[in-house]
Structures are given as structure tokens and as C-alpha cells.
Amino acid sequence: MNIVVLVKQVPDTYSERKLDASDGTLDRDATDAVLDEINERAVEAALQIKEANDGSAVTVVTMGPDRATEAIRKALSMGADKAVHLSDGALAGSDAVSTAKALAKVIGTVDGFDLVLAGNEASDGRGGATPAMVADLLGVPALTHAREITVEGSSVTVRRETDDGVTVLTAELPAVVSVGEKINEPRYPSFKGIMAAKKKPVTTLSLADAGIDAGEVGAAGALSSVTSAQPKPPKSAGEKVTDEGDGGQRIAAFLVSQKLI
Amino acid sequence: MAEVLVLVDHVEGEVRKSTFELLTAARALGEPSAVVVGAPGTAQGLSSALAANGAEKIYVAETDRTDFLSPQVDVLAALVESASPVAVLINASADGKEIAGRLAVRTDSAWLNDVVAVSANGRVGATHSVFGGAYIAQAEAKTEHPVVTVRAGAIDVEAVAGAGTEERVEVPAAAGRGATVQSTEPITGGDRPELTEASVVVSGGRGVGSADDFSIIEGLADSLGAAVGASRAAVDSGFYPHQFQVGQTGKTVSPQLYIALGISGAIQHRAGMQTSKTIIAVNKDAEAPIFEIADFGVVGDLFQVAPQLKEEIAKRKG
């Protein structure tokens, strides 16, 4: 089985994230970049399916600046076999629609994919629909927010879990599946895995290599534009008291004064 | 005036409140047209509520198709073609965002996602609250008929009656292979309000210490009719389920009142709750960063303070 995993380098959610004041895009230099946690779960899910299906290969696909190679290395050291990295200066400022179009083109360069796995929502953009958009473009079914994935023969079944409930979905392969937080606990790369990752093939594609029209991506191809972005003034601290046995009463009094109870 | 399509979110024969919010928002852009997609007989029970909340037109697209979310995408794509709407408004839920993203790709439209306000000034504009309210960004669509997903609870419903004229529309045959629904189970959230819609949220952090002791958080929440939240530290420690996590990698909440108990207030957590109108914090550590954004803070033991507060609230309720 040929499995493709979409991964993304994101700002660490434990650091403070900023928007660039000049163009309203994410200031990627202001924060540490890491492989998004949810992608590690997608990689783990891919590896588990690979291990259960002899002769499978896992290809990592990402788009982003050069430093996205760190995210690729992490996925390869976990056990993915190879990677394709779409990297082109013209991609900067791409919106959700053009990102999905570019990813669909890159997936198209991977020979005969059966299953595309992705995280359900990146922690930075939080669009939460890229996997479904890519599926629509590829003309294959989207089974999203998976809590469980079962691949049997030529079909895939997913237990989809969202705030609205649980839906069991099934589809014929090839298909796109996005995984949720609870799908699994990703493995740590072993020392052997880290060493092996250094020798695994990483193909870097430019837009032209992937057959993508530069006018369709990046800030130029974006279908919407951010016209202003301002930090909201931080909330200032109010009153702070030390509990002297009456802390609960004092909160209640404060809530009454604010007409909240 | 041009139409604005509003996808109706309905469950068990009821229109969800978020749809009424969309109908209110739609009036800033044009004439609201509600779009009902569902099994045969669905629209009948929804029409009067939609008309009462401002739907001038109600497109009824009923079908036996069982492919997941694709009927909604197909129907909206056909209506974008035939009705040339100013915009398509959809609730920013998991399903709504998926429908929106696919529709934007199909119709080559801009997608303005997770917006808290919409406006029209030649182009359709939207306001985003980014990184848990740390930034306010304005964006505008550069295409016709943009798809706009609106955050639930961001818009106050103003019920203004509309004509509610029904118009049946053909549901196209499935365009491609889809995922088929085998079964569905709604989530039973219990009696507490939904976390992102609640006007009061009581959250516990690592300081709660154990899953059992989260009953203190729940007890206080119930006395206030509040939703229960948890910090990432509490969720990672296994004290409370992930679906209740508030923060950068969990839910973003913006209630009238947020009570943080035993939560230090790392950026990770603050990003999910700092736009709350009033914030109360209880923490043993006087230096905890949560106090920097609290309107009222008590340095003390939550196991002393929370039960006493609950008792005071009960007294006032009589």
C-alpha cells in the first residue's frame, strides 16, 4: 500500500505567536518551529498501517520554507520511507484554497497513492479543512477527524469524532483520512531511526517541477487578503487578595458587585 | 438586493442557534436565503423558525443520498452558479468548515474562515480574532461569492421576520466517490451547556491534583449553570477529557465569566480564554501568570475557596 502523509511545520504552541504587522501573515521567525503534534499522530497512523500491510511505503509530503526539512527529518526518523518537499519562494502568503491546490498537485506526483493521511487541524491556521479540500481536488472521498482507522482490502473505515458526535464512515481506496488528537500516541524516534533518516531520500520540488502555476499560489494567487492586523491591548491585572479564610466570600462579593450573580 | 446563502445547521428536527446567528449576520450583506439540505421531509419542521429569524427565501434540497457532506457541497455549488449570491455563510463547526473548504475549492471562491463579524464595502470583509484574541485582523475577499465560516456565539441574534418563501431545488447526483455514513451517535454532553457557547465557564488545572477532585470544579460549575473546562496540564495528566480542554490546542472560549482554579495561566491556556469578559483566578502561587489577566484573584487553596464560593452562590440563590 502506498501511503502519503501530509505534514506541516508550525510555530510551537508553547511560545508566543505573532502576526507580521506589515502584511498580516504569521511571523514564522518569532517562534520556535516544530512538527505539528497532530502530524506526528498522522505519521504514527501511517506507520501502523504500513506495519500491518507488507510491502507498504510511507511518503511524507510537505510544503513550506527550507526549514520545513526539520519536520521532514522528524517524520523520517519515526520511520517514514521518503519525503517530497514543495519549496518555492512564490508560495509565501498562500491561502487555504491555493495551499490545497498545491498539495493536491504534489500528491499527484507520488506514484499510485492508496491512502493520504493528515492531521485534522493544524495548530497555527486552524482552518481544519485542508484534508477535505485536497480530497475534493483529487476526486477521492474524505474521511476526517478519525479516532480509529481500519483498512481492510480495498476499503477504509473511520470512526469520526467531533464535538457534534460520532459518525462511522466507510469508503473505497484511494481516499484521504485526517486523524484527530485521540487516534494514537506517536512513537519517539529511536537512535537507529534518527541515523537511518539521514540516508532516506528527500525530493525537493519547485512550483515548476510540480506543474503548479505560480500565479495560483502565494500572496499573488490568494483569493482573500488581510487588510489590517493589530495586537489587542493586553488585559491588565485587577485586584489580587490573599485568602484569609474568606476567599470564596470575597469572590462572591466581587461577582455581586459586577452583577454576575 | 442580492441574496446571501445561509447553510442551515439542523439536528433532530431543530434549527441550531448558530444558524440564527448566520441569518442575522447575512442581513449586513444582502437578503438572507436559507439552504436546507437533508433527508426528505426535513424542511417542513424548520421553515417557520427560519422565516421568523429573517430567511426571505428557503431553498429546500431534500435527498436520500447518504454520502457524507457531499450533498451540501453539491447543492451549494449549484446555487452559487444559479443565484450568484454575495456570499455563502456557514457555521464554523467541524462539518461546516469541511463543507466550506470544499465549496471554496469547487467554486474558486475566497474562504474567510472562523470570522467574528462580516461587513460589505464593495467587497465582502470579515473580522478575525486570531491566536485566541491576541490579534484582531481584518480581511477581505478578492473573489465573488466568498465562502464565510462564522464562529458560533460571535454574533448576537436579532430576530427580524423574513418572507420565508420556499423553493425546491434539485439535488445533483453525486459528483464523485464519497464516504458513506454507516452509523451516527450524537454526543451526550449531559446537562451542562456546551463549552464554546456557555456564558460562564469554570476551569480546573494541574492544581486540582486528580480526576476525582475535578468534582469540585464540576460542583462549582453546576451552581453557576456553567460549562466545565480544563487546562492542557490537567488534560495531559488525565484529570479530565480532552474535549473540554481550553487553550491554544483546545477550545477557544469567550464567556461573560471565566473562573480559573489551580491554573497557572501559561500562554498555551491564556490563548484560549483571554477574551473572556471577566476572569476570576484562584491559585496557591502568588506569582502565577493567570493573575496578570484576572479581574479578581485569590492567592489561596482552591479546595478551601471553591466550596466556600459555591456555598455563597447557593445562599444568594436562596
Side-chain angles (χ1 to χ4, degrees):
Chain A
M1 181 163 311
N2 268 331
I3 306 166
V4 172
V5 189
L6 301 179
V7 304
K8 186 178 183 185
Q9 181 105 333
V10 298
D12 191 338
T13 58
Y14 279 97
S15 54
E16 186 175 358
R17 301 174 296 181
K18 296 194 171 102
L19 290 181
D20 191 315
S22 63
D23 59 1
T25 59
L26 179 65
D27 184 350
R28 293 189 190 267
D29 293 330
T31 51
D32 299 330
V34 294
L35 172 59
D36 209 351
E37 278 177 31
I38 194 70
N39 294 154
E40 293 185 27
R41 298 183 201 278
V43 172
E44 177 64 38
L47 295 173
Q48 288 180 12
I49 295 168
K50 176 190 165 174
E51 283 153 12
N53 293 272
D54 282 346
S56 298
V58 175
T59 307
V60 177
V61 166
T62 193
M63 76 179 245
D66 284 346
R67 69 176 187 172
T69 47
E70 293 159 34
I72 290 175
R73 286 292 159 208
K74 178 82 186 275
L76 292 177
S77 59
M78 285 174 72
D81 299 293
K82 55 190 193 310
V84 181
H85 181 187
L86 178 66
S87 178
D88 199 305
L91 286 165
S94 292
D95 63 5
V97 172
S98 51
T99 298
K101 284 181 178 172
L103 286 171
K105 278 273 172 62
V106 176
I107 294 166
T109 68
V110 178
D111 272 344
F113 69 90
D114 298 297
L115 187 60
V116 178
L117 282 164
N120 60 349
E121 180 177 85
S123 62
D124 55 350
R126 305 204 68 170
T130 302
M133 294 160 85
V134 168
D136 217 270
L137 286 159
L138 293 170
V140 303
L143 301 85
T144 52
H145 302 278
R147 168 81 188 256
E148 284 167 31
I149 307 171
T150 317
V151 177
E152 262 176 7
S154 65
S155 72
V156 59
T157 302
V158 153
R159 195 175 155 80
R160 179 185 196 263
E161 198 172 274
T162 68
D163 290 344
D164 291 329
V166 173
T167 309
V168 177
L169 296 172
T170 185
E172 289 296 302
L173 298 174
V176 173
V177 171
S178 78
V179 304
E181 291 275 345
K182 286 183 275 187
I183 184 88
N184 56 38
E185 276 310 313
R187 67 192 67 185
Y188 286 104
S190 64
F191 179 71
K192 207 175 135 201
I194 293 168
M195 295 313 287
K198 294 182 176 162
K199 298 194 191 89
K200 288 176 176 171
V202 178
T203 311
T204 305
L205 299 179
S206 65
L207 288 174
D209 296 334
I212 298 165
D213 181 350
E216 280 204 342
V217 295
L223 305 179
S224 61
S225 58
V226 176
T227 50
S228 74
Q230 269 118 30
K232 218 174 164 182
K235 214 170 146 75
S236 53
E239 200 181 341
K240 184 166 79 174
V241 301
T242 302
D243 182 29
E244 285 162 358
D246 61 350
Q249 288 159 359
R250 296 191 65 171
I251 293 174
F254 177 82
L255 294 178
V256 169
S257 74
Q258 301 294 309
K259 299 189 169 52
L260 286 162
I261 54 172
Chain B
M1 202 160 42
E3 287 179 55
V4 182
L5 300 181
V6 169
L7 179 64
V8 176
D9 193 357
H10 55 90
V11 66
E12 288 164 6
E14 301 272 343
V15 179
R16 287 213 160 142
K17 181 168 164 263
S18 59
T19 300
F20 301 141
E21 296 169 5
L22 298 180
L23 288 168
T24 299
R27 284 203 293 273
L29 305 175
E31 258 179 24
S33 295
V35 181
V36 177
V37 182
T42 303
Q44 205 181 0
L46 310 178
S47 296
S48 59
L50 294 171
N53 281 279
E56 291 297 334
K57 208 183 262 185
I58 300 170
Y59 289 108
V60 178
E62 295 180 335
T63 173
D64 287 319
R65 276 174 59 179
T66 56
D67 47 340
F68 188 64
L69 303 183
S70 299
Q72 286 90 329
V73 179
D74 293 347
V75 166
L76 289 171
L79 282 171
V80 163
E81 187 78 17
S82 64
S84 304
V86 183
V88 183
L89 304 190
I90 303 176
N91 179 29
S93 62
D95 291 3
K97 290 197 271 192
E98 205 163 316
I99 294 166
R102 290 174 62 186
L103 181 66
V105 161
R106 291 251 191 114
T107 57
D108 263 316
S109 309
W111 176 25
L112 301 168
N113 181 30
D114 196 22
V115 315
V116 294
V118 293
S119 58
N121 188 8
R123 284 171 167 176
V124 173
T127 306
H128 300 270
S129 173
V130 189
F131 299 150
Y135 285 81
I136 292 291
Q138 302 291 335
E140 64 179 26
K142 295 202 276 187
T143 69
E144 290 181 301
H145 45 71
V147 183
V148 185
T149 37
V150 182
R151 186 183 292 180
I155 287 160
D156 293 326
V157 174
E158 291 166 38
V160 176
T165 313
E166 287 191 30
E167 189 176 321
R168 301 226 149 236
V169 294
E170 195 75 17
V171 178
R177 290 189 307 115
T180 310
V181 178
Q182 300 285 322
S183 65
T184 54
E185 322 155 17
I187 270 193
T188 46
D191 294 336
R192 293 196 189 98
E194 212 274 311
L195 186 54
T196 53
E197 289 180 356
S199 56
V200 182
V201 174
V202 180
S203 285
R206 202 197 302 271
V208 178
S210 72
D212 285 348
D213 284 336
F214 243 80
S215 59
I216 296 213
I217 310 297
E218 293 181 328
L220 179 58
D222 289 343
S223 73
L224 286 160
V228 174
S231 71
R232 176 166 186 164
V235 170
D236 284 353
S237 307
F239 300 168
Y240 220 61
H242 177 262
Q243 73 202 78
F244 299 102
Q245 185 176 317
V246 172
Q248 214 139 237
T249 50
K251 302 276 159 57
T252 301
V253 300
S254 194
Q256 296 295 318
L257 173 61
Y258 189 90
I259 303 181
L261 302 169
I263 293 176
S264 67
I267 279 177
Q268 158 74 239
H269 185 72
R270 294 209 307 257
M273 46 66 75
Q274 64 195 356
T275 57
S276 304
K277 302 272 182 334
T278 301
I279 297 170
I280 307 284
V282 179
N283 202 296
K284 272 190 196 164
D285 176 8
E287 304 302 317
I290 192 76
F291 289 123
E292 290 165 18
I293 58 162
D295 297 284
F296 192 83
V298 172
V299 181
D301 183 357
L302 73 94
F303 293 100
Q304 305 296 325
V305 176
Q308 190 180 61
L309 174 56
K310 185 182 158 188
E311 206 174 293
E312 286 295 311
I313 291 161
K315 266 192 220 162
R316 271 162 228 276
K317 276 185 180 164

